Tab-separated table of all heavy atoms in Angstrom:
chain	number	residue	atom	x	y	z
A	42	ARG	N	-15.250	7.958	7.996
A	42	ARG	CA	-16.516	8.607	8.341
A	42	ARG	C	-16.264	9.937	9.026
A	42	ARG	O	-15.247	10.107	9.700
A	42	ARG	CB	-17.337	7.693	9.259
A	42	ARG	CG	-17.857	6.509	8.493
A	42	ARG	CD	-18.602	5.526	9.368
A	42	ARG	NE	-19.130	4.464	8.517
A	42	ARG	CZ	-20.298	4.517	7.882
A	42	ARG	NH1	-21.100	5.562	8.036
A	42	ARG	NH2	-20.676	3.525	7.112
A	43	MET	N	-17.185	10.844	8.830
A	43	MET	CA	-17.057	12.169	9.442
A	43	MET	C	-17.202	12.064	10.956
A	43	MET	O	-18.078	11.342	11.439
A	43	MET	CB	-18.159	13.107	8.923
A	43	MET	CG	-18.022	13.491	7.473
A	43	MET	SD	-16.512	14.408	7.150
A	43	MET	CE	-16.862	15.946	7.988
A	44	PRO	N	-16.345	12.767	11.691
A	44	PRO	CA	-16.509	12.814	13.146
A	44	PRO	C	-17.922	13.308	13.504
A	44	PRO	O	-18.498	14.109	12.772
A	44	PRO	CB	-15.447	13.818	13.584
A	44	PRO	CG	-14.428	13.811	12.488
A	44	PRO	CD	-15.177	13.532	11.225
A	45	ARG	N	-18.436	12.847	14.598
A	45	ARG	CA	-19.773	13.187	15.125
A	45	ARG	C	-20.908	12.619	14.296
A	45	ARG	O	-21.647	11.770	14.778
A	45	ARG	CB	-19.978	14.703	15.301
A	45	ARG	CG	-19.080	15.324	16.357
A	45	ARG	CD	-19.457	16.773	16.654
A	45	ARG	NE	-19.533	17.571	15.441
A	45	ARG	CZ	-18.479	18.115	14.844
A	45	ARG	NH1	-17.272	17.945	15.362
A	45	ARG	NH2	-18.623	18.822	13.752
A	46	THR	N	-21.024	13.017	13.000
A	46	THR	CA	-22.185	12.584	12.217
A	46	THR	C	-22.059	11.135	11.753
A	46	THR	O	-23.057	10.456	11.538
A	46	THR	CB	-22.357	13.452	10.958
A	46	THR	OG1	-21.218	13.274	10.119
A	46	THR	CG2	-22.501	14.926	11.311
A	47	GLY	N	-20.832	10.649	11.550
A	47	GLY	CA	-20.634	9.297	11.040
A	47	GLY	C	-20.919	9.153	9.557
A	47	GLY	O	-20.897	8.053	9.005
A	48	LYS	N	-21.170	10.267	8.882
A	48	LYS	CA	-21.442	10.232	7.437
A	48	LYS	C	-20.175	9.812	6.688
A	48	LYS	O	-19.099	10.345	6.952
A	48	LYS	CB	-21.877	11.651	7.011
A	48	LYS	CG	-22.371	11.775	5.589
A	48	LYS	CD	-22.902	13.212	5.367
A	48	LYS	CE	-23.320	13.450	3.929
A	48	LYS	NZ	-22.201	13.613	3.002
A	49	PRO	N	-20.294	8.842	5.757
A	49	PRO	CA	-19.081	8.406	5.054
A	49	PRO	C	-18.559	9.453	4.072
A	49	PRO	O	-19.340	10.193	3.476
A	49	PRO	CB	-19.529	7.142	4.309
A	49	PRO	CG	-21.006	7.180	4.271
A	49	PRO	CD	-21.488	8.084	5.374
A	50	PHE	N	-17.255	9.532	3.929
A	50	PHE	CA	-16.630	10.349	2.887
A	50	PHE	C	-16.949	9.715	1.525
A	50	PHE	O	-17.182	8.502	1.449
A	50	PHE	CB	-15.101	10.323	3.015
A	50	PHE	CG	-14.502	11.072	4.175
A	50	PHE	CD1	-15.000	10.964	5.458
A	50	PHE	CD2	-13.374	11.859	3.976
A	50	PHE	CE1	-14.402	11.632	6.520
A	50	PHE	CE2	-12.771	12.531	5.022
A	50	PHE	CZ	-13.285	12.420	6.297
A	51	SER	N	-16.915	10.511	0.469
A	51	SER	CA	-17.063	9.912	-0.868
A	51	SER	C	-15.745	9.322	-1.347
A	51	SER	O	-15.716	8.545	-2.299
A	51	SER	CB	-17.593	10.929	-1.872
A	51	SER	OG	-16.723	12.029	-2.020
A	52	VAL	N	-14.650	9.671	-0.682
A	52	VAL	CA	-13.322	9.164	-1.020
A	52	VAL	C	-13.027	7.953	-0.138
A	52	VAL	O	-13.392	7.940	1.034
A	52	VAL	CB	-12.281	10.286	-0.759
A	52	VAL	CG1	-10.873	9.789	-0.951
A	52	VAL	CG2	-12.557	11.484	-1.648
A	53	ARG	N	-12.407	6.918	-0.718
A	53	ARG	CA	-11.909	5.815	0.111
A	53	ARG	C	-10.411	5.989	0.332
A	53	ARG	O	-9.744	6.653	-0.460
A	53	ARG	CB	-12.224	4.469	-0.531
A	53	ARG	CG	-13.723	4.168	-0.418
A	53	ARG	CD	-14.051	2.776	-0.898
A	53	ARG	NE	-13.822	2.674	-2.326
A	53	ARG	CZ	-13.501	1.529	-2.940
A	53	ARG	NH1	-13.369	0.412	-2.259
A	53	ARG	NH2	-13.315	1.519	-4.245
A	54	MET	N	-9.899	5.420	1.403
A	54	MET	CA	-8.526	5.702	1.814
A	54	MET	C	-7.801	4.465	2.287
A	54	MET	O	-8.408	3.501	2.728
A	54	MET	CB	-8.520	6.653	3.023
A	54	MET	CG	-9.127	7.984	2.743
A	54	MET	SD	-9.101	9.038	4.213
A	54	MET	CE	-9.731	10.528	3.439
A	55	THR	N	-6.472	4.537	2.203
A	55	THR	CA	-5.616	3.659	2.978
A	55	THR	C	-4.325	4.438	3.250
A	55	THR	O	-4.247	5.628	2.921
A	55	THR	CB	-5.387	2.300	2.286
A	55	THR	OG1	-4.732	1.427	3.210
A	55	THR	CG2	-4.553	2.424	1.025
A	56	ASN	N	-3.358	3.781	3.852
A	56	ASN	CA	-2.102	4.459	4.199
A	56	ASN	C	-0.948	3.486	4.081
A	56	ASN	O	-1.128	2.260	4.130
A	56	ASN	CB	-2.122	4.927	5.664
A	56	ASN	CG	-3.111	6.048	5.961
A	56	ASN	OD1	-2.776	7.227	5.877
A	56	ASN	ND2	-4.342	5.687	6.308
A	57	CYS	N	0.252	4.042	3.987
A	57	CYS	CA	1.464	3.271	4.220
A	57	CYS	C	2.415	4.141	5.026
A	57	CYS	O	2.227	5.352	5.130
A	57	CYS	CB	2.079	2.782	2.908
A	57	CYS	SG	2.451	4.061	1.724
A	58	GLY	N	3.413	3.481	5.626
A	58	GLY	CA	4.317	4.193	6.524
A	58	GLY	C	4.016	3.839	7.974
A	58	GLY	O	3.134	3.040	8.256
A	59	ARG	N	4.763	4.452	8.900
A	59	ARG	CA	4.614	4.080	10.313
A	59	ARG	C	3.260	4.478	10.881
A	59	ARG	O	2.729	3.842	11.795
A	59	ARG	CB	5.706	4.756	11.134
A	59	ARG	CG	7.045	4.089	10.923
A	59	ARG	CD	8.014	4.511	11.973
A	59	ARG	NE	8.544	5.826	11.666
A	59	ARG	CZ	9.615	6.333	12.261
A	59	ARG	NH1	10.247	5.639	13.199
A	59	ARG	NH2	10.053	7.526	11.932
A	60	LEU	N	2.726	5.586	10.346
A	60	LEU	CA	1.447	6.081	10.838
A	60	LEU	C	0.502	6.292	9.674
A	60	LEU	O	0.932	6.598	8.559
A	60	LEU	CB	1.644	7.412	11.568
A	60	LEU	CG	2.419	7.356	12.877
A	60	LEU	CD1	2.699	8.770	13.379
A	60	LEU	CD2	1.642	6.564	13.926
A	61	GLY	N	-0.778	6.152	9.943
A	61	GLY	CA	-1.783	6.416	8.920
A	61	GLY	C	-2.865	7.329	9.470
A	61	GLY	O	-3.203	7.272	10.651
A	62	TRP	N	-3.415	8.153	8.569
A	62	TRP	CA	-4.490	9.066	8.966
A	62	TRP	C	-5.822	8.332	8.856
A	62	TRP	O	-6.085	7.690	7.823
A	62	TRP	CB	-4.477	10.292	8.057
A	62	TRP	CG	-5.403	11.384	8.466
A	62	TRP	CD1	-5.124	12.389	9.358
A	62	TRP	CD2	-6.739	11.610	8.007
A	62	TRP	NE1	-6.215	13.218	9.475
A	62	TRP	CE2	-7.214	12.779	8.666
A	62	TRP	CE3	-7.582	10.955	7.116
A	62	TRP	CZ2	-8.492	13.286	8.447
A	62	TRP	CZ3	-8.857	11.466	6.908
A	62	TRP	CH2	-9.305	12.623	7.564
A	63	VAL	N	-6.631	8.407	9.901
A	63	VAL	CA	-7.955	7.787	9.874
A	63	VAL	C	-8.984	8.778	10.407
A	63	VAL	O	-8.642	9.731	11.122
A	63	VAL	CB	-8.013	6.469	10.695
A	63	VAL	CG1	-7.017	5.442	10.171
A	63	VAL	CG2	-7.801	6.714	12.172
A	64	SER	N	-10.232	8.555	10.042
A	64	SER	CA	-11.324	9.396	10.531
A	64	SER	C	-12.519	8.506	10.796
A	64	SER	O	-12.899	7.699	9.949
A	64	SER	CB	-11.676	10.450	9.480
A	64	SER	OG	-12.741	11.248	9.950
A	65	ASP	N	-13.104	8.655	11.990
A	65	ASP	CA	-14.325	7.928	12.303
A	65	ASP	C	-15.157	8.802	13.236
A	65	ASP	O	-14.839	9.986	13.440
A	65	ASP	CB	-14.010	6.533	12.879
A	65	ASP	CG	-13.176	6.593	14.150
A	65	ASP	OD1	-13.185	7.645	14.836
A	65	ASP	OD2	-12.513	5.590	14.465
Side-chain angles (χ1 to χ4, degrees):
R42 289 176 177 273
M43 291 297 291
R45 294 189 308 278
T46 63
K48 188 174 176 285
F50 288 46
S51 61
V52 174
R53 288 187 293 152
M54 298 179 175
T55 190
N56 292 269
C57 56
R59 285 195 281 194
L60 292 172
W62 188 87
V63 301
S64 179
D65 59 23

